[in-house]
Amino acid sequence: MYHNRLIPCLLLDNGKLVKTVQFRKPVYVGDPINAVKIYNDREVDELVFLDIHATRTHRRPDFEYLSKITEQCFMPLCYGGGITSLEDIGMLFRIGFEKVSINAAALEHPELIHEAAAVYGSQSIVGAMDVGKNLFGKAVVKTENGNHGTRYGPGEYARRLEDAGAGEIFLNSIIQDGMMNGYDYELIREVSESVQVPVIACGGAGSLQDCRKAIDSGASAAAAGSIFVFWGVNKAVLINYPDSAQTAELFADSNE
C-alpha cells in the first residue's frame, strides 16, 4: 500500500520558475526558491523540479543552483533534467535530493537506471516518460520536450522502466500539459495496470477533484503545475497548496 500524494511539479528554465502548455511557450511564474519557502509553510508532501531545457541543450544539472534550493527545502525533493550518469545522480543526492527522475537517458541507456537502483535503491530512482500521439493518433512515448517520437507504447515502456529498476514511474501527458481540463485518465489506467510500482500522474489538473480522479484511475500520486502556481479564472500567479484537512478529505476512502 502507498500513501496517496499531491505533488507540485515545478519547471525550471535558466533558474526561473515557468509553466508550459503542451510543453511549449514557457511563461515566467516566479522565483523557485521563493516558491519552496511558501511550500514549506504549506507542508507539501513532496516537490518535483524538472529542468525543461537541460537535456535538449546537453547541459548537466546546475548543481550549484540546485543546492541553493535544497538548502531552503524542508520536504522530500525530486529532480529531473540533464541527468546522464551515475556521477550526476550521486551529486544530486549529496546536495539534498531524495529522488532523481530519469527521462531521456533511460531511453538511450536503461542500464543507468539499473546501476543507480543497485547503488542507491530503487525507491530513489524514478523512471520518467512523456506521452503524446503519433501521426496515426496512437499514444507513444516521446523525448526532447515531445519533439521526437519513439516506437514504445505507454504500457510497454512503463514495464521497461520497471524492469530496469525504477521504483516509481513519472507519467506526463504532453497533450494535457497546462490545459487544466483533467488528466488523461485512460493513459493513467493503462500505465498503472502495466506495472507494480507506484505511478505519479502529471499533466492536465484543473482542480483538486481532477487529482482525486487520477488516484481513482490507478495513480499513487497526482502531480500538477498550473493549479499550484495559478489562482482564479484569470490565472493570477499565486503559489498555493491545500491544507492538511483539505488533502485528507480529498483522498478519504481512496484506493491506496
Side-chain angles (χ1 to χ4, degrees), residues 89-181:
I89 295 168
M91 179 62 76
L92 288 164
F93 289 145
R94 283 193 290 276
I95 64 175
F97 285 88
E98 283 78 16
K99 297 179 184 178
V100 295
S101 176
I102 305 174
N103 194 323
L107 177 67
E108 299 171 6
H109 305 289
E111 67 274 9
L112 177 60
I113 288 185
H114 176 76
E115 293 169 359
V119 174
Y120 300 107
S122 61
Q123 77 285 344
S124 61
I125 308 301
V126 180
M129 51 191 289
D130 301 325
V131 178
K133 301 282 188 181
N134 64 15
L135 292 176
F136 304 100
K138 183 179 178 181
V140 294
V141 174
K142 294 193 171 187
T143 62
E144 296 191 23
N145 283 7
N147 291 308
H148 295 284
T150 74
R151 61 183 177 84
Y152 293 105
E156 174 190 10
Y157 191 69
R159 287 190 295 272
R160 188 173 189 259
L161 292 173
E162 181 182 36
D163 290 343
E168 280 188 304
I169 305 295
F170 187 90
L171 172 63
N172 204 351
S173 169
I174 298 171
I175 295 172
Q176 295 302 108
D177 172 58
M179 299 302 288
M180 299 186 73
N181 59 4

Coordinates of all heavy atoms in Angstrom, one line a residue, residues 89-181:
I89 N 23.8 11.5 -10.6 CA 22.8 11.1 -9.7 C 23.4 11.2 -8.2 O 22.7 11.7 -7.3 CB 22.4 9.6 -10.0 CG1 21.6 9.6 -11.3 CG2 21.5 9.0 -8.9 CD1 21.4 8.2 -11.9
G90 N 24.6 10.7 -8.1 CA 25.3 10.8 -6.8 C 25.4 12.2 -6.3 O 25.2 12.5 -5.1
M91 N 25.7 13.1 -7.2 CA 25.9 14.5 -6.8 C 24.5 15.1 -6.3 O 24.5 15.9 -5.3 CB 26.4 15.4 -7.9 CG 26.6 16.9 -7.6 SD 27.7 17.2 -6.2 CE 29.3 16.9 -7.1
L92 N 23.5 14.8 -7.0 CA 22.1 15.3 -6.7 C 21.7 14.8 -5.3 O 21.2 15.5 -4.5 CB 21.1 14.8 -7.7 CG 21.2 15.6 -9.0 CD1 20.4 14.8 -10.1 CD2 20.7 17.0 -8.9
F93 N 22.0 13.5 -5.0 CA 21.7 13.0 -3.6 C 22.6 13.7 -2.6 O 22.1 14.0 -1.5 CB 22.0 11.5 -3.6 CG 20.9 10.7 -4.3 CD1 21.3 9.6 -5.0 CD2 19.6 11.1 -4.4 CE1 20.3 8.8 -5.7 CE2 18.6 10.4 -5.1 CZ 19.0 9.2 -5.7
R94 N 23.8 14.0 -2.9 CA 24.7 14.6 -1.9 C 24.3 16.0 -1.6 O 24.5 16.5 -0.5 CB 26.2 14.6 -2.5 CG 26.9 13.3 -2.3 CD 28.4 13.4 -2.6 NE 28.7 13.7 -3.9 CZ 28.8 12.8 -4.9 NH1 28.6 11.5 -4.6 NH2 29.1 13.1 -6.1
I95 N 23.7 16.7 -2.6 CA 23.3 18.1 -2.3 C 21.9 18.2 -1.7 O 21.4 19.3 -1.4 CB 23.4 19.0 -3.5 CG1 22.4 18.6 -4.6 CG2 24.8 19.1 -4.0 CD1 22.4 19.5 -5.8
G96 N 21.2 17.0 -1.5 CA 20.0 17.1 -0.8 C 18.7 16.6 -1.4 O 17.7 16.6 -0.8
F97 N 18.8 16.1 -2.6 CA 17.6 15.5 -3.3 C 17.4 14.1 -2.8 O 18.4 13.3 -2.6 CB 17.7 15.5 -4.8 CG 17.5 16.9 -5.4 CD1 18.6 17.8 -5.5 CD2 16.2 17.3 -5.7 CE1 18.4 19.1 -6.0 CE2 16.0 18.6 -6.2 CZ 17.1 19.5 -6.4
E98 N 16.2 13.7 -2.6 CA 15.9 12.3 -2.2 C 15.6 11.4 -3.4 O 15.8 10.2 -3.2 CB 14.6 12.3 -1.3 CG 14.9 12.7 0.2 CD 15.0 14.2 0.3 OE1 14.5 15.0 -0.6 OE2 15.4 14.7 1.3
K99 N 15.2 12.0 -4.5 CA 14.9 11.2 -5.7 C 15.4 11.9 -6.9 O 15.6 13.1 -6.9 CB 13.4 11.0 -5.8 CG 12.7 10.2 -4.7 CD 11.2 10.1 -5.0 CE 10.5 9.4 -3.9 NZ 9.0 9.3 -4.1
V100 N 15.7 11.1 -7.9 CA 16.0 11.6 -9.3 C 15.1 11.0 -10.3 O 14.7 9.9 -10.2 CB 17.5 11.3 -9.7 CG1 18.4 12.0 -8.7 CG2 17.7 9.8 -9.7
S101 N 14.7 11.9 -11.2 CA 13.8 11.5 -12.3 C 14.6 11.4 -13.6 O 15.2 12.4 -14.0 CB 12.6 12.5 -12.5 OG 11.8 12.1 -13.5
I102 N 14.7 10.2 -14.2 CA 15.5 10.0 -15.4 C 14.6 9.7 -16.6 O 13.8 8.8 -16.6 CB 16.4 8.8 -15.2 CG1 17.2 9.0 -13.9 CG2 17.3 8.6 -16.4 CD1 18.1 7.8 -13.5
N103 N 14.7 10.6 -17.6 CA 13.8 10.5 -18.7 C 14.6 10.1 -20.0 O 14.6 8.9 -20.3 CB 13.2 11.9 -18.9 CG 12.0 11.9 -19.8 OD1 12.0 11.1 -20.8 ND2 11.0 12.6 -19.6
A104 N 15.2 11.0 -20.7 CA 15.8 10.7 -22.0 C 16.9 9.7 -21.8 O 17.1 8.8 -22.6 CB 16.4 12.0 -22.6
A105 N 17.7 9.8 -20.8 CA 18.8 8.9 -20.6 C 18.3 7.4 -20.3 O 19.0 6.5 -20.7 CB 19.7 9.3 -19.4
A106 N 17.1 7.3 -19.8 CA 16.6 6.0 -19.5 C 16.2 5.3 -20.8 O 16.3 4.1 -20.9 CB 15.3 6.1 -18.6
L107 N 15.8 6.1 -21.8 CA 15.5 5.5 -23.1 C 16.8 5.0 -23.8 O 16.8 3.9 -24.4 CB 14.8 6.6 -24.0 CG 14.5 6.1 -25.4 CD1 13.4 5.0 -25.4 CD2 14.0 7.3 -26.2
E108 N 17.8 5.9 -23.8 CA 19.0 5.5 -24.5 C 19.9 4.6 -23.8 O 20.6 3.7 -24.4 CB 19.8 6.8 -24.8 CG 19.0 7.8 -25.7 CD 19.7 9.2 -25.8 OE1 20.9 9.3 -25.3 OE2 19.1 10.1 -26.3
H109 N 19.9 4.7 -22.4 CA 20.8 3.8 -21.6 C 20.0 3.3 -20.4 O 20.2 3.8 -19.3 CB 22.0 4.6 -21.2 CG 22.8 5.3 -22.3 ND1 23.5 4.5 -23.2 CD2 22.9 6.6 -22.7 CE1 24.1 5.3 -24.1 NE2 23.7 6.6 -23.8
P110 N 19.1 2.3 -20.6 CA 18.4 1.8 -19.5 C 19.2 1.2 -18.4 O 18.8 1.1 -17.2 CB 17.5 0.7 -20.1 CG 18.1 0.4 -21.4 CD 18.8 1.7 -21.9
E111 N 20.4 0.9 -18.7 CA 21.4 0.3 -17.7 C 21.7 1.4 -16.6 O 22.1 1.0 -15.5 CB 22.7 -0.2 -18.4 CG 23.6 0.9 -19.0 CD 23.2 1.2 -20.4 OE1 22.1 0.8 -20.9 OE2 24.0 1.9 -21.0
L112 N 21.5 2.6 -17.0 CA 21.8 3.7 -16.0 C 20.8 3.6 -14.8 O 21.2 3.7 -13.6 CB 21.6 5.1 -16.6 CG 21.8 6.3 -15.6 CD1 23.2 6.3 -15.0 CD2 21.6 7.6 -16.4
I113 N 19.5 3.3 -15.1 CA 18.5 3.1 -14.0 C 18.9 1.8 -13.2 O 18.9 1.8 -12.0 CB 17.1 2.9 -14.6 CG1 16.6 4.3 -15.1 CG2 16.2 2.3 -13.6 CD1 15.2 4.3 -15.6
H114 N 19.3 0.8 -13.9 CA 19.7 -0.5 -13.2 C 20.9 -0.2 -12.3 O 20.9 -0.6 -11.1 CB 20.1 -1.5 -14.2 CG 20.6 -2.8 -13.6 ND1 19.7 -3.7 -13.0 CD2 21.8 -3.3 -13.5 CE1 20.5 -4.7 -12.5 NE2 21.7 -4.5 -12.8
E115 N 21.9 0.5 -12.8 CA 23.1 0.8 -11.9 C 22.7 1.7 -10.8 O 23.2 1.5 -9.6 CB 24.1 1.4 -12.8 CG 24.7 0.5 -13.9 CD 25.6 1.3 -14.9 OE1 25.7 2.5 -14.8 OE2 26.1 0.6 -15.8
A116 N 21.9 2.7 -11.0 CA 21.6 3.7 -10.0 C 20.7 3.0 -8.9 O 20.9 3.2 -7.7 CB 20.8 4.8 -10.6
A117 N 19.8 2.1 -9.3 CA 19.0 1.4 -8.3 C 19.8 0.5 -7.5 O 19.6 0.3 -6.3 CB 17.9 0.6 -9.1
A118 N 20.8 -0.1 -8.1 CA 21.7 -1.0 -7.4 C 22.5 -0.3 -6.3 O 22.8 -0.8 -5.2 CB 22.6 -1.8 -8.3
V119 N 22.9 0.9 -6.6 CA 23.8 1.7 -5.7 C 22.9 2.4 -4.7 O 23.3 2.4 -3.5 CB 24.6 2.7 -6.5 CG1 25.4 3.6 -5.6 CG2 25.6 2.0 -7.4
Y120 N 21.8 3.1 -5.1 CA 21.1 4.0 -4.2 C 19.7 3.4 -3.8 O 19.1 4.0 -2.9 CB 20.9 5.3 -4.9 CG 22.2 6.0 -5.2 CD1 22.7 6.1 -6.5 CD2 23.0 6.5 -4.2 CE1 23.9 6.7 -6.8 CE2 24.2 7.1 -4.5 CZ 24.7 7.2 -5.8 OH 25.9 7.8 -6.1
G121 N 19.3 2.3 -4.3 CA 18.0 1.8 -4.0 C 16.9 2.2 -5.0 O 16.9 3.4 -5.4
S122 N 16.1 1.3 -5.4 CA 15.1 1.6 -6.4 C 14.1 2.7 -6.0 O 13.5 3.4 -6.8 CB 14.3 0.4 -6.9 OG 13.7 -0.2 -5.8
Q123 N 13.9 2.8 -4.6 CA 12.9 3.8 -4.1 C 13.3 5.2 -4.4 O 12.5 6.1 -4.4 CB 12.8 3.6 -2.6 CG 13.9 4.2 -1.7 CD 15.1 3.3 -1.8 OE1 15.1 2.2 -2.2 NE2 16.2 3.9 -1.3
S124 N 14.6 5.4 -4.8 CA 15.1 6.8 -5.0 C 15.2 7.1 -6.5 O 15.6 8.2 -6.9 CB 16.4 7.0 -4.4 OG 17.4 6.1 -4.8
I125 N 14.9 6.1 -7.4 CA 15.1 6.2 -8.8 C 13.7 6.2 -9.5 O 13.0 5.2 -9.4 CB 15.9 5.1 -9.4 CG1 17.3 5.0 -8.6 CG2 16.2 5.4 -10.9 CD1 18.1 6.3 -8.6
V126 N 13.4 7.3 -10.1 CA 12.1 7.5 -10.8 C 12.3 7.4 -12.3 O 13.1 8.2 -12.9 CB 11.4 8.8 -10.5 CG1 10.1 9.0 -11.2 CG2 11.3 9.0 -9.0
G127 N 11.6 6.5 -13.0 CA 11.7 6.5 -14.4 C 10.6 7.3 -15.0 O 9.4 7.2 -14.7
A128 N 11.0 8.3 -15.8 CA 10.0 9.3 -16.3 C 9.7 9.0 -17.8 O 10.6 8.6 -18.6 CB 10.6 10.7 -16.2
M129 N 8.5 9.3 -18.2 CA 8.0 9.1 -19.5 C 7.0 10.2 -19.9 O 6.1 10.5 -19.2 CB 7.4 7.7 -19.7 CG 6.3 7.4 -18.7 SD 5.8 5.6 -18.8 CE 5.0 5.6 -20.3
D130 N 7.3 10.8 -21.1 CA 6.4 11.8 -21.7 C 5.6 11.2 -22.8 O 6.2 10.6 -23.7 CB 7.1 13.0 -22.2 CG 8.0 13.7 -21.1 OD1 7.5 13.7 -19.9 OD2 9.1 14.2 -21.4
V131 N 4.3 11.3 -22.7 CA 3.5 10.6 -23.7 C 2.7 11.5 -24.6 O 2.0 12.5 -24.1 CB 2.5 9.6 -23.0 CG1 1.6 8.9 -24.0 CG2 3.3 8.6 -22.2
G132 N 2.7 11.3 -25.9 CA 2.0 12.1 -26.8 C 1.3 11.2 -27.8 O 1.1 10.1 -27.6
K133 N 1.0 11.8 -29.0 CA 0.4 11.0 -30.1 C 1.3 11.0 -31.3 O 1.9 12.0 -31.6 CB -1.0 11.6 -30.4 CG -2.0 11.7 -29.3 CD -2.6 10.3 -29.0 CE -3.8 10.5 -28.0 NZ -4.4 9.2 -27.7
N134 N 1.3 9.9 -32.0 CA 2.0 9.9 -33.3 C 1.1 10.3 -34.4 O -0.1 10.8 -34.2 CB 2.6 8.5 -33.6 CG 1.5 7.4 -33.8 OD1 0.3 7.7 -34.0 ND2 1.9 6.2 -33.7
L135 N 1.5 10.3 -35.7 CA 0.7 10.7 -36.8 C -0.6 10.0 -37.0 O -1.5 10.5 -37.6 CB 1.6 10.7 -38.1 CG 2.8 11.6 -38.2 CD1 3.6 11.3 -39.4 CD2 2.4 13.0 -38.1
F136 N -0.6 8.8 -36.4 CA -1.8 8.0 -36.6 C -2.8 8.1 -35.4 O -3.8 7.4 -35.3 CB -1.4 6.5 -36.8 CG -0.5 6.3 -38.0 CD1 0.8 6.2 -37.8 CD2 -1.0 6.4 -39.3 CE1 1.7 6.0 -38.9 CE2 -0.2 6.2 -40.4 CZ 1.2 6.1 -40.2
G137 N -2.4 9.0 -34.4 CA -3.2 9.2 -33.3 C -3.0 8.2 -32.2 O -3.8 8.1 -31.2
K138 N -2.0 7.4 -32.3 CA -1.7 6.4 -31.3 C -0.8 7.0 -30.2 O 0.2 7.7 -30.5 CB -1.0 5.2 -31.9 CG -0.7 4.1 -31.0 CD 0.0 2.9 -31.7 CE 0.3 1.8 -30.7 NZ 1.0 0.7 -31.4
A139 N -1.0 6.6 -28.9 CA -0.2 7.1 -27.8 C 1.1 6.5 -27.9 O 1.3 5.3 -27.9 CB -0.9 6.8 -26.5
V140 N 2.2 7.3 -27.8 CA 3.6 6.9 -27.9 C 4.4 7.7 -26.9 O 4.1 8.9 -26.6 CB 4.2 6.9 -29.3 CG1 3.5 6.0 -30.2 CG2 4.2 8.4 -29.8
V141 N 5.5 7.1 -26.5 CA 6.4 7.8 -25.6 C 7.3 8.8 -26.5 O 7.7 8.4 -27.6 CB 7.4 6.9 -24.9 CG1 8.5 7.6 -24.1 CG2 6.5 6.0 -23.9
K142 N 7.5 10.0 -26.1 CA 8.3 11.0 -26.8 C 9.4 11.5 -26.0 O 9.3 11.4 -24.7 CB 7.4 12.1 -27.3 CG 6.3 11.7 -28.4 CD 5.7 12.9 -29.1 CE 4.8 12.5 -30.2 NZ 4.3 13.6 -31.0
T143 N 10.4 12.1 -26.6 CA 11.6 12.6 -25.9 C 11.8 14.0 -26.4 O 11.2 14.5 -27.3 CB 12.8 11.8 -26.2 OG1 13.1 11.8 -27.6 CG2 12.6 10.3 -25.7
E144 N 12.8 14.7 -25.7 CA 13.2 16.0 -26.1 C 12.0 17.0 -26.1 O 11.7 17.6 -27.2 CB 14.0 16.0 -27.4 CG 15.3 15.3 -27.2 CD 16.3 15.5 -28.4 OE1 16.1 16.5 -29.1 OE2 17.1 14.6 -28.7
N145 N 11.4 17.1 -25.0 CA 10.2 18.0 -24.9 C 9.1 17.7 -25.9 O 8.4 18.6 -26.3 CB 10.7 19.5 -25.0 CG 11.3 20.0 -23.8 OD1 11.6 19.3 -22.9 ND2 11.6 21.3 -23.8
G146 N 9.0 16.4 -26.1 CA 7.9 16.0 -27.0 C 8.2 16.1 -28.5 O 7.3 15.9 -29.3
N147 N 9.4 16.5 -28.9 CA 9.7 16.7 -30.3 C 10.0 15.5 -31.1 O 10.0 15.5 -32.3 CB 10.9 17.7 -30.4 CG 10.6 19.1 -29.9 OD1 9.6 19.7 -30.4 ND2 11.3 19.7 -29.0
H148 N 10.4 14.4 -30.4 CA 10.8 13.2 -31.1 C 10.0 12.0 -30.5 O 10.0 11.7 -29.3 CB 12.3 12.9 -30.9 CG 13.1 13.9 -31.6 ND1 13.3 14.0 -32.9 CD2 13.8 15.0 -31.0 CE1 14.1 15.0 -33.2 NE2 14.4 15.6 -32.1
G149 N 9.4 11.3 -31.4 CA 8.6 10.1 -31.0 C 9.5 8.8 -31.0 O 10.6 8.8 -31.5
T150 N 9.0 7.8 -30.3 CA 9.6 6.5 -30.2 C 8.7 5.5 -30.6 O 7.5 5.8 -31.0 CB 10.1 6.2 -28.7 OG1 8.9 5.9 -28.0 CG2 10.8 7.4 -28.1
R151 N 9.1 4.3 -30.7 CA 8.3 3.1 -31.1 C 7.5 2.5 -29.9 O 6.8 1.6 -30.1 CB 9.1 2.1 -31.7 CG 10.2 1.4 -30.8 CD 11.0 0.4 -31.6 NE 12.1 -0.1 -30.7 CZ 11.9 -1.1 -29.9 NH1 10.7 -1.7 -29.7 NH2 13.0 -1.6 -29.2
Y152 N 7.7 3.1 -28.7 CA 7.2 2.5 -27.5 C 5.8 3.0 -27.1 O 5.6 4.2 -27.1 CB 8.1 2.7 -26.3 CG 9.4 2.0 -26.4 CD1 10.6 2.7 -26.7 CD2 9.5 0.6 -26.2 CE1 11.8 2.1 -26.8 CE2 10.7 0.0 -26.3 CZ 11.9 0.7 -26.6 OH 13.1 0.1 -26.7
G153 N 4.8 2.1 -26.9 CA 3.6 2.5 -26.3 C 3.7 2.7 -24.8 O 4.7 2.2 -24.2
P154 N 2.8 3.4 -24.1 CA 3.0 3.8 -22.7 C 3.1 2.6 -21.8 O 4.0 2.5 -21.0 CB 1.7 4.5 -22.4 CG 1.2 5.1 -23.7 CD 1.6 4.0 -24.7
G155 N 2.2 1.6 -21.9 CA 2.3 0.4 -21.0 C 3.6 -0.4 -21.2 O 4.3 -0.8 -20.2
E156 N 4.0 -0.6 -22.5 CA 5.2 -1.3 -22.8 C 6.4 -0.6 -22.2 O 7.3 -1.2 -21.6 CB 5.3 -1.4 -24.3 CG 6.6 -2.0 -24.8 CD 6.8 -1.9 -26.3 OE1 6.0 -1.2 -26.9 OE2 7.8 -2.5 -26.8
Y157 N 6.5 0.7 -22.4 CA 7.6 1.5 -21.9 C 7.7 1.5 -20.4 O 8.8 1.5 -19.8 CB 7.6 2.9 -22.5 CG 8.9 3.6 -22.2 CD1 10.1 3.2 -22.9 CD2 9.0 4.7 -21.3 CE1 11.3 3.9 -22.7 CE2 10.2 5.3 -21.1 CZ 11.4 4.9 -21.8 OH 12.5 5.5 -21.5
A158 N 6.5 1.6 -19.7 CA 6.5 1.6 -18.3 C 7.1 0.3 -17.7 O 7.8 0.3 -16.8 CB 5.1 1.8 -17.8
R159 N 6.7 -0.8 -18.4 CA 7.3 -2.1 -17.9 C 8.8 -2.1 -18.1 O 9.5 -2.7 -17.3 CB 6.6 -3.2 -18.7 CG 5.2 -3.5 -18.3 CD 4.7 -4.8 -18.9 NE 4.5 -4.7 -20.3 CZ 3.5 -4.3 -21.0 NH1 2.4 -3.8 -20.3 NH2 3.5 -4.2 -22.3
R160 N 9.2 -1.5 -19.2 CA 10.7 -1.4 -19.5 C 11.4 -0.7 -18.4 O 12.5 -1.1 -17.9 CB 10.9 -0.7 -20.8 CG 12.3 -0.7 -21.4 CD 12.3 -0.1 -22.8 NE 13.6 -0.3 -23.4 CZ 14.5 0.6 -23.6 NH1 14.3 1.8 -23.1 NH2 15.6 0.4 -24.2
L161 N 10.8 0.4 -17.9 CA 11.4 1.2 -16.8 C 11.4 0.4 -15.5 O 12.4 0.4 -14.8 CB 10.7 2.5 -16.6 CG 10.8 3.6 -17.8 CD1 9.8 4.7 -17.5 CD2 12.2 4.1 -17.9
E162 N 10.3 -0.3 -15.3 CA 10.2 -1.1 -14.1 C 11.2 -2.2 -14.1 O 11.9 -2.5 -13.1 CB 8.8 -1.6 -13.9 CG 8.6 -2.5 -12.7 CD 7.2 -3.1 -12.6 OE1 6.6 -3.4 -13.7 OE2 6.7 -3.2 -11.5
D163 N 11.3 -2.9 -15.2 CA 12.3 -4.0 -15.4 C 13.7 -3.5 -15.2 O 14.6 -4.2 -14.7 CB 12.1 -4.7 -16.7 CG 10.8 -5.4 -16.8 OD1 10.2 -5.7 -15.8 OD2 10.5 -5.7 -18.0
A164 N 14.0 -2.2 -15.6 CA 15.3 -1.7 -15.4 C 15.7 -1.4 -14.0 O 16.9 -1.2 -13.6 CB 15.5 -0.4 -16.3
G165 N 14.6 -1.2 -13.1 CA 14.9 -1.0 -11.7 C 14.3 0.2 -11.1 O 14.5 0.6 -10.0
A166 N 13.5 1.0 -11.9 CA 12.8 2.2 -11.4 C 11.8 1.8 -10.3 O 11.0 0.9 -10.5 CB 12.1 2.9 -12.6
G167 N 11.9 2.6 -9.2 CA 10.9 2.3 -8.1 C 9.6 3.1 -8.2 O 8.7 2.8 -7.5
E168 N 9.6 4.0 -9.2 CA 8.4 4.8 -9.4 C 8.4 5.2 -10.9 O 9.4 5.3 -11.5 CB 8.3 6.1 -8.6 CG 7.8 5.9 -7.2 CD 7.6 7.2 -6.5 OE1 8.6 8.0 -6.4 OE2 6.5 7.5 -6.0
I169 N 7.2 5.4 -11.4 CA 7.0 5.9 -12.8 C 6.4 7.3 -12.8 O 5.4 7.5 -12.1 CB 6.1 5.0 -13.7 CG1 6.6 3.5 -13.6 CG2 6.0 5.5 -15.1 CD1 7.9 3.3 -14.3
F170 N 7.1 8.3 -13.4 CA 6.5 9.6 -13.5 C 5.9 9.7 -14.9 O 6.7 9.7 -15.9 CB 7.6 10.7 -13.3 CG 7.1 12.1 -13.3 CD1 6.7 12.7 -12.1 CD2 6.9 12.9 -14.4 CE1 6.2 13.9 -12.0 CE2 6.4 14.1 -14.4 CZ 6.0 14.7 -13.2
L171 N 4.6 9.8 -15.0 CA 3.9 9.7 -16.2 C 3.3 11.1 -16.6 O 2.5 11.6 -15.9 CB 2.7 8.7 -16.1 CG 1.7 8.7 -17.3 CD1 2.4 8.2 -18.6 CD2 0.6 7.7 -16.9
N172 N 3.8 11.7 -17.7 CA 3.4 13.0 -18.0 C 2.7 13.0 -19.4 O 3.3 12.5 -20.4 CB 4.7 14.0 -18.1 CG 4.3 15.4 -17.9 OD1 3.1 15.8 -17.9 ND2 5.3 16.3 -17.8
S173 N 1.6 13.6 -19.5 CA 0.8 13.7 -20.7 C 1.2 15.0 -21.4 O 0.9 16.1 -20.9 CB -0.7 13.6 -20.5 OG -1.4 14.0 -21.7
I174 N 1.8 14.9 -22.6 CA 2.1 16.1 -23.3 C 0.9 16.9 -23.8 O 0.8 18.1 -23.7 CB 3.0 15.8 -24.6 CG1 4.3 15.1 -24.1 CG2 3.3 17.0 -25.4 CD1 5.1 14.5 -25.3
I175 N -0.1 16.2 -24.2 CA -1.3 16.8 -24.8 C -2.1 17.5 -23.7 O -2.7 18.6 -23.9 CB -2.2 15.7 -25.4 CG1 -1.5 15.2 -26.7 CG2 -3.6 16.3 -25.8 CD1 -2.2 14.0 -27.3
Q176 N -2.1 17.0 -22.5 CA -2.9 17.6 -21.4 C -2.1 18.6 -20.6 O -2.7 19.4 -19.8 CB -3.3 16.5 -20.4 CG -4.4 15.5 -21.0 CD -5.6 16.3 -21.5 OE1 -5.8 16.4 -22.7 NE2 -6.4 16.8 -20.6
D177 N -0.8 18.7 -20.8 CA 0.1 19.6 -20.0 C -0.4 21.0 -20.1 O -0.6 21.6 -21.2 CB 1.5 19.6 -20.6 CG 2.4 20.6 -20.0 OD1 2.5 20.6 -18.7 OD2 3.0 21.4 -20.7
G178 N -0.7 21.6 -19.0 CA -1.1 23.0 -18.9 C -2.6 23.3 -19.3 O -3.0 24.5 -19.3
M179 N -3.3 22.3 -19.8 CA -4.6 22.6 -20.3 C -5.7 22.8 -19.2 O -6.7 23.4 -19.5 CB -5.1 21.4 -21.2 CG -4.1 21.2 -22.4 SD -4.0 22.7 -23.5 CE -5.7 22.7 -24.2
M180 N -5.4 22.2 -18.1 CA -6.3 22.4 -16.9 C -7.7 21.9 -17.1 O -8.7 22.4 -16.6 CB -6.3 23.8 -16.4 CG -5.0 24.4 -16.0 SD -5.0 26.0 -15.3 CE -5.8 25.7 -13.7
N181 N -7.8 20.8 -18.0 CA -9.2 20.2 -18.2 C -9.2 18.8 -17.8 O -10.1 18.0 -18.3 CB -9.6 20.4 -19.7 CG -8.6 19.8 -20.7 OD1 -7.6 19.2 -20.2 ND2 -8.8 20.0 -21.9

